[in-house]
Amino acid sequence: MQTRRIGNAEVPAIGLGCMNLSHAYGTPPDTETATALLHKAFDLGVRHFDTAALYGFGANETLVGEAIKPFRQQVHLASKCAMTGVEGVRVIDGRPETLTRTLDEALTRLQTDHIDLYYLHRWDKNVPIEDSVGALSRAVEDGKIGAIGLSEVSAATLRKAHAVHPIAAVQTEYSLWTRNAEIAVLQACKELDTSFVAFSPVARGFLTGAVTDPAAFAAKDIRRNMPRFQEPHFSSNQRWLNEFADLAKTENCSMAQLSLAWLLSRDDHVLPIPGTTSIAHLEDNLAAAEITLSAEVIGKLDELINQTTVSGPRYPEATQAEIDTEEFA
């Protein structure tokens, strides 16, 4: 697989988002099944594994830490702080003392003495970004983390943080149907030599064609509360999905592969991290790195799926208020 740089590491261009092995999309797989998928990802060449304290309220870090222990030194391990579970409730807390405690807890769960890339999962708007990044910079000095990342921040916040300590990566939702990064932060990352890690690169499954009935989502599936999976937005977005499927057939690839190949074409500092609980889907996703799209196909995709053709905001109002990413007018 082609490689791209993140921090001081060179990793295969497509990594693995580990969230749905423990969190967010209904009942997660059992430990044996999840571990088998993580091992298969390594066997297939994945070296960038992404987890967080929030996922399963620590359960995902525990899962990943145990699974990758045999090859820990061969992988680039990323995790996140500042959004965690406290007594079963999701809390955003970016105070330096909280970040320090969360990091120590993460190191224990991950069974490692350092985390290669540690993100602020969300900027706590009650705490200056400089204070939160300052705490993480001290963790870099102590050797507990290798590099600092930010998630769901604007270009302005990125620049403020970068003035305190170099920011190795920004992680934000980015796909054909979520283009907010193109407003400013993608370019800011390029200017600051910061990698851009794209989560939900296949639109939480929508761009694979697998989501046909949101009513069938599990009770705890977070997509139930996302406007794009609710009416009238869901039906509106399905109107262009068939044409997208036809384009994938023309390119002799799956819809997921077409989505990921488009992302890889954006720039060489963009690294998608699709997540899955299926080894078949894992294999399909990773094969996208071998696909090269023509300028004509990229142009068709940009015209078909963009901020003007996609219906509905990506988050409900309460969640939207928690993020700092730029929004289209």
Side-chain angles (χ1 to χ4, degrees), residues 69-214:
K69 186 164 56 173
F71 43 81
R72 167 67 187 96
Q73 299 309 312
Q74 299 175 62
V75 303
H76 183 266
L77 177 61
S79 193
K80 311 177 195 72
C81 60
M83 187 159 66
T84 56
V86 178
E87 297 180 355
V89 178
R90 182 175 61 85
V91 172
I92 296 176
D93 185 349
R95 293 174 296 173
E97 60 270 25
T98 301
L99 304 185
T100 300
R101 184 184 71 250
T102 304
L103 171 58
D104 288 339
E105 293 168 350
L107 290 170
T108 298
R109 288 191 291 261
L110 289 164
Q111 301 185 54
T112 187
D113 61 359
H114 76 285
I115 298 171
D116 299 295
L117 174 62
Y118 204 48
Y119 295 91
L120 278 180
H121 205 158
R122 291 292 184 272
W123 170 37
D124 180 351
K125 297 177 184 179
N126 295 312
V127 178
I129 189 66
E130 294 88 347
D131 292 356
S132 296
V133 172
L136 295 182
S137 71
R138 290 187 287 277
V140 173
E141 293 170 0
D142 292 340
K144 293 183 176 182
I145 63 177
I148 298 172
L150 303 175
S151 180
E152 292 279 21
V153 297
S154 65
T157 301
L158 168 60
R159 293 184 190 282
K160 287 180 183 179
H162 194 79
V164 175
H165 188 280
I167 302 301
V170 168
Q171 181 174 146
T172 293
E173 183 175 355
Y174 188 33
S175 68
L176 277 159
W177 89 337
T178 296
R179 302 291 199 97
N180 304 68
E182 296 175 0
I183 299 172
V185 79
L186 201 61
Q187 180 58 33
C189 285
K190 184 98 174 159
E191 293 171 6
L192 297 174
D193 200 25
T194 297
S195 300
F196 185 94
V197 176
F199 76 78
S200 296
V202 295
R204 304 184 188 275
F206 187 81
L207 290 176
T208 69
V211 181
T212 57
D213 181 13

